[in-house]
Amino acid sequence: MTHGPFLLSIGGDGVAAATEFPVIDPATGEPFATAPDASEAQLDLAVAAARVAFLSWRAVDVAARRAAMRAFADAIRAEAEALAALLTREQGKPLTAARREVAVAADRIEGTAALDIGGGYLREGPQGPVRLDYVPMGVVGVIAPWNAPLILAMQMVAQALAAGNAVVVKPSPFTPLTTLRLGEIAARVLPAGLVNTLSGGDALGRWMTAHPGIDKIAFIGSTATGKKVMASAAATLKRVSLELGGNDAAIVLDDVDVAAIAPRLFSSAFVNSGQLCMAVKRVYAQAGIAEALAHALAAEARRMRLGNGFEADVDLGPVQNRPQFDKVLAIIQDARARGGQVLAGGGALDRPGYFIAPTIVTGLSEGARLVDEEQFGPVLPILAVDTEEEAVTRANATRFGLGASVWSGDQTRAEAVARRLEAGTVWINGHGGAVPDLPFGGFKESGIGRGMGVAGLRSYAEIRVIHGAH
Ligand code: NAD
């Protein structure tokens, strides 16, 4: 397999940078390619190219915009196998999951293109008809994380383009390569400069949030960085969409069939090795079933086959990067120090790369890092509660509010609990999943605004009301 060269995409051209940085394969811990480290001057060029492209794209009618975006999605699908292999190499996820990610990224572009942003005639006013239009903002800076690099970057790009904007996209420095490839594809099938892709470190993100030529920042990443993005964007009053971290609770009531739900609950927590914003990160189980559930989840954990994503029949890959690997191990250490009982897993595998055995911990309470923080890795606490009331109170006792779920055999009971949860999405007897036509995002410090759905699309536009628009 060849890797590279990888180029920035600026104004439709592939461009090298003066310096490069290594990209590490998380399954080995070794560098396998390099990515260009974009300079501030290259950001200026990309923003200027995006501005020019925007001036034409905003005038393109919706049907033609949709057709162009469908062509982009199809061009991604045509290269799915190569993209998936590169994604597994840089991100670590099993090849089957990488293939799914490429397919979902393409589907999000197409699904977003199909949304109707709305607007039009409102009512009569003193000057005659009043109409409301959703007007594109200009240049959107897209900043993405490393856990699902293609899906997340492309859902932001798709909303920006569908609303009539041009974009400058910055992938995470841990997973820049597949996004650079998508930049090349975009340069082939979309108007030059509409989608510019720049890889670089965190400094590039800071330059984007401060750049006077960028009108809006669409950011998906951690809550800590999201706060910095918002603070920096304040200087130019850039619009921001922030889709941030979560600490999703799953509340399991005592009327469930434990054996039936355990595999689904397990995969909702450990998919992508737990590195998912909307993964289950805390389980509050009623005392009657808590122990049985913890043991059933531990059995699932022991069944998992870990390995390099290219190996056959691998269920889970490594943690994506060294800092995250160290953080998850420290969180497991803290759990042990606070008296947590480790029912399965409990540490790193004795092999190269960033592999951590899927870990189930009981006997903890609030105050442990594993309960209070977003672990974002393959470790899950099971916490026993007596009543529904206690479960709701503890589930809501967090600064996060992204997702939550209720598991029960009784629909009325489940729904009553669901309606009390402070989270942007609540699932009943399931957990996880996002689609282009439904708004997704968080209460509290899990974000500002919503991505996807018509609400998400509208957040990439200004509202203009015209009085007397005959
Ligand atoms: P991160 O915040 O460390 O980095 C995200 C991006 O921000 C990267 O591209 C990074 O280079 C850039 N960045 C870093 N410092 C910056 C700065 N000061 N200004 C501008 N940009 C800067 O997040 P991560 O570790 O890559 O991703 C994991 C986090 O993302 C988790 O908290 C997860 O829950 C969250 N996430 C949220 C959603 C959602 O939809 N809510 C989806 C996926 C991931």
Side-chain angles (χ1 to χ4, degrees):
M1 196 189 305
T2 57
H3 296 291
F6 294 93
L7 298 171
L8 311 172
S9 183
I10 300 176
D13 295 324
V15 181
T19 56
E20 304 239 316
F21 61 91
V23 182
I24 290 168
D25 178 345
T28 63
E30 300 297 328
F32 72 98
T34 57
D37 196 359
S39 67
E40 208 165 353
Q42 287 174 315
L43 173 62
D44 288 341
L45 291 173
V47 171
R51 177 70 51 192
V52 172
F54 160 65
L55 296 176
S56 308
W57 181 248
R58 70 173 170 185
V60 171
D61 69 48
V62 172
R65 248 185 232 162
R66 284 185 176 143
M69 289 176 66
R70 277 199 301 273
F72 183 33
D74 284 340
I76 292 171
R77 292 182 184 117
E79 293 189 28
E81 203 48 37
L83 288 167
L86 186 59
L87 183 58
T88 289
R89 195 76 201 269
E90 68 172 346
Q91 205 285 334
K93 62 185 64 189
L95 192 54
T96 46
R99 288 188 179 122
R100 205 159 45 239
E101 174 156 355
V102 176
V104 170
D107 289 351
R108 280 210 184 159
I109 294 169
E110 202 164 327
T112 302
L115 293 174
D116 185 358
I117 200 166
Y121 173 81
L122 288 180
R123 63 170 173 78
E124 292 303 304
Q127 285 84 23
V130 181
R131 65 173 288 126
L132 180 154
D133 290 315
Y134 292 97
V135 182
M137 289 173 168
V139 177
V140 176
V142 168
I143 302 178
W146 47 257
N147 61 321
L150 288 189
I151 292 174
L152 298 172
M154 287 309 120
Q155 82 185 36
M156 293 186 278
V157 167
Q159 291 172 97
L161 297 187
N165 306 284
V167 295
V168 176
V169 186
K170 188 196 99 61
S172 165
F174 294 113
T175 53
L177 302 178
T178 38
T179 306
L180 293 177
R181 285 284 182 254
L182 288 198
E184 292 173 14
I185 294 172
R188 276 206 316 272
V189 300
L190 292 172
L194 196 60
V195 175
N196 306 275
T197 44
L198 302 184
S199 52
D202 295 349
L204 174 61
R206 288 194 293 275
W207 300 333
M208 288 170 70
T209 61
H211 201 291
I214 292 181
D215 302 284
K216 171 185 169 120
I217 295 287
F219 175 86
I220 301 182
S222 65
T223 295
T225 308
K227 290 178 182 178
K228 292 183 195 163
V229 167
M230 193 159 175
S232 173
T236 46
L237 274 189
K238 276 184 194 26
R239 281 67 179 130
V240 290
S241 292
L242 304 176
E243 294 181 52
L244 308 178
N247 195 8
D248 287 16
I251 294 177
V252 185
L253 303 183
D254 54 11
D255 57 17
V256 294
D257 176 344
V258 168
I261 69 157
R264 283 190 295 128
L265 182 57
F266 181 87
S267 76
S268 302
F270 288 85
V271 60
N272 209 30
S273 299
Q275 303 166 119
L276 195 67
C277 55
M278 58 181 134
V280 172
K281 294 181 180 132
R282 298 173 287 157
V283 174
Y284 289 101
Q286 276 194 295
I289 47 97
E291 199 180 327
L293 181 66
H295 284 285
L297 293 171
E300 290 295 317
R302 284 190 286 269
R303 278 194 324 109
M304 289 295 111
R305 292 157 300 195
L306 264 67
N308 187 314
F310 290 106
E311 290 165 21
D313 299 328
V314 161
D315 297 308
L316 298 175
V319 169
Q320 201 281 323
N321 59 70
R322 181 79 207 210
Q324 191 62 25
F325 175 75
D326 291 341
K327 179 182 159 186
V328 174
L329 291 177
I331 284 175
I332 295 174
Q333 195 60 38
D334 175 76
R336 285 186 199 280
R338 286 170 183 276
Q341 285 107 54
V342 175
L343 299 192
L349 300 193
D350 185 18
R351 61 177 282 176
Y354 310 134
F355 291 94
I356 296 178
T359 299
I360 301 290
V361 184
T362 58
L364 290 177
S365 54
E366 286 72 7
R369 291 186 64 190
L370 182 54
V371 182
D372 293 355
E373 295 179 24
E374 180 184 41
Q375 64 270 45
F376 218 62
V379 48
L380 182 69
I382 318 301
L383 309 156
V385 291
D386 287 321
T387 61
E388 290 167 28
E389 186 64 32
E390 182 188 351
V392 169
T393 304
R394 290 173 69 179
N396 286 339
T398 167
R399 290 306 307 151
F400 294 105
L402 192 61
S405 60
V406 190
W407 303 68
S408 170
D410 179 335
Q411 179 65 23
T412 312
R413 234 181 132 194
E415 232 177 285
V417 172
R419 288 176 197 279
R420 298 178 62 196
L421 293 172
E422 296 163 359
T425 307
V426 181
W427 294 272
I428 293 175
N429 291 322
H431 195 120
V435 284
D437 64 332
L438 295 180
F440 182 81
F443 284 25
K444 303 187 242 181
E445 292 189 9
S446 285
I448 298 271
R450 292 292 181 271
M452 301 195 287
V454 174
L457 186 56
R458 288 178 176 172
S459 74
Y460 287 76
E462 295 288 0
I463 289 175
R464 181 175 56 213
V465 174
I466 301 183
H467 295 260
H470 289 279

